[in-house]
Amino acid sequence: GDLVIHAKNVQYDQTALSIPAGKPFTVGFANDEPVPHNVAIHEGSATGKERFRGEIVTGPTTIVYQVPALEAGAYAFVCTVHPNMVGTLTVQ
């Protein structure tokens, strides 16, 4: 995928990612543990408007999310199941 994120020990291995604005992208998500996780993208912060929600998967497994184009700005990626799992996504 354009972005690759692993989940382990109920946290993401990446907490700051960036992607070009205005074009769809993929997120390769590897859930390395037998706990349900996903990657959702919210505007601004983890409590902002949800723009994308990836399917929740229980690991160990890998899934590739197809994410529609986002306009430039600041976003957060967060696990819908575990809101303490959060990172920043800069779209530019």
Side-chain angles (χ1 to χ4, degrees):
D2 295 309
L3 300 176
V4 177
I5 302 170
H6 285 255
K8 191 170 187 176
N9 302 322
V10 197
Q11 57 191 10
Y12 293 130
D13 70 328
Q14 305 280 344
T15 55
L17 295 168
S18 60
I19 199 80
K23 65 178 193 180
F25 61 96
T26 60
V27 176
F29 176 55
N31 182 355
D32 297 335
E33 59 187 346
V35 176
H37 295 307
N38 75 337
V39 178
I41 298 172
H42 293 244
E43 289 180 7
S45 73
T47 56
K49 180 184 172 192
E50 186 176 85
R51 293 291 301 272
F52 172 82
R53 179 181 291 199
E55 180 187 345
I56 296 169
V57 293
T58 300
T61 192
T62 302
I63 189 171
V64 176
Y65 299 133
Q66 306 288 333
V67 184
L70 296 169
E71 55 274 17
Y75 297 82
F77 59 93
V78 59
C79 177
T80 304
V81 186
H82 304 97
N84 59 302
M85 291 175 61
V86 65
T88 58
L89 176 63
T90 303
V91 181
Q92 57 195 16

